Amino acid sequence: MSTSPFWVSAFLDFAPGDFERGVEFWQGVTGYTLSARRGADGEFATLVPPEGDDYLRVQALADGAARIHLDLHVENPTVAAEAAVELGAQVLVRHELGYVVLRSPGGFVFCFVHAHRARRPPPATWPDGTASQVDQVCLDIPPSAYDAEVPFWQALTGWDLDPDVSEEFARLAPPDEQPLRWLLQRLDDDEPAVRAHLDLSCTDRAAETARHVALGATAGPAYDDWTVLTDPVGTAYCITRRNPR
């Protein structure tokens, strides 16, 4: 059975005390509504787009720092998890509800959940006529983990790999109907584990950056192809010059 995910959801995991402010900001960024909270302690919710199906979710962590984790939607999470273990992953939790939490060889936390075939939402259009969308996840990989982490994800997903996007980046190519592109970044310095951040595409990077700052973000360095920002609770992300699909 294939471990290639039919759909991928990105979770914004907020540190204790940051959930409400973090969710408010990302609702403003995306234009999405918030679902009813779920989980034993109401720790989970979904950002629901006006069209298409959801792929951005939020979690209130009981402890620890903010992070991004991914849910890979597959036919059989148990079978997919066993395949991941053979590739070098470690199982952290086998939940009674059927999902499996794992850690990649480089330390990135992800989950296998039951298959969820869906429709990619269109970009949001704003009052000034610009458009934007969260449409990419970037795995930030320490150099010591890069040579193991990249082939792990390529083998696990079965997606084509372009290893030569640039000296710094490689790219995995999920099916076009999926909501998130995948970028793999080799960091300059070693860190304890692989982490991730989200990227947005937009039709006007300057206008989009100003909109985010008005919502409470802090703008950081601006490069030729992207601008680094930090949300009000400390989550880093980028606005890129790519046009929304």
Side-chain angles (χ1 to χ4, degrees):
M1 183 177 294
S2 172
T3 59
S4 183
F6 296 102
W7 191 256
V8 175
S9 300
F11 258 94
L12 289 148
D13 297 333
F14 296 111
D18 287 344
F19 184 85
E20 285 75 16
R21 183 66 187 99
V23 168
E24 179 186 21
F25 174 79
W26 284 96
Q27 281 190 260
V29 163
T30 60
Y32 296 173
T33 58
L34 187 67
S35 73
R37 295 179 66 163
R38 57 189 184 275
D41 299 310
E43 68 270 34
F44 301 114
T46 298
L47 296 177
V48 182
E51 298 179 59
D53 293 293
D54 72 84
Y55 65 101
L56 296 175
R57 300 178 178 185
V58 290
Q59 178 178 195
L61 296 175
D63 54 60
R67 67 183 183 188
I68 301 293
H69 86 261
L70 299 176
D71 277 4
L72 278 59
H73 300 249
V74 295
E75 289 282 7
N76 189 318
T78 300
V79 171
E82 294 308 317
V85 168
E86 291 183 6
L87 293 170
Q90 175 188 1
V91 172
L92 302 179
V93 177
R94 297 183 187 274
H95 199 276
E96 61 184 10
L97 293 179
Y99 65 85
V100 185
V101 184
L102 302 98
R103 180 183 289 125
S104 75
F108 182 72
V109 174
F110 67 101
C111 302
F112 282 120
V113 301
H114 290 294
H116 173 57
R117 297 176 178 87
R119 297 174 298 115
R120 175 164 54 85
T125 301
W126 305 108
D128 63 358
T130 62
S132 66
Q133 186 170 37
V134 176
D135 72 341
Q136 183 166 270
V137 61
C138 180
L139 297 184
D140 302 315
I141 306 172
S144 62
Y146 194 82
D147 289 343
E149 195 75 3
V150 171
F152 169 80
W153 288 106
Q154 196 280 325
L156 189 69
T157 62
W159 298 337
D160 291 338
L161 173 69
D162 180 355
D164 299 315
V165 175
S166 70
E167 187 174 321
E168 185 180 358
F169 294 104
R171 183 180 296 282
L172 284 170
D176 192 55
E177 64 269 17
Q178 293 225 15
L180 291 170
R181 306 169 189 260
W182 280 52
L183 197 62
L184 308 170
Q185 180 179 18
R186 185 197 300 267
L187 299 175
D188 292 331
D189 301 315
D190 260 328
E191 297 186 4
V194 177
R195 50 183 169 81
H197 70 266
L198 298 176
D199 293 336
L200 289 90
S201 57
C202 63
T203 55
D204 186 325
R205 184 157 50 125
E208 185 70 7
T209 299
R211 189 176 72 84
H212 287 225
V213 170
L215 289 168
T218 301
Y223 302 95
D224 288 344
D225 295 327
W226 68 87
T227 301
V228 179
L229 296 96
T230 305
D231 77 6
V233 297
T235 305
Y237 66 100
C238 295
I239 296 173
T240 77
R241 68 171 184 166
R242 291 177 298 102
N243 283 324
R245 289 180 287 177

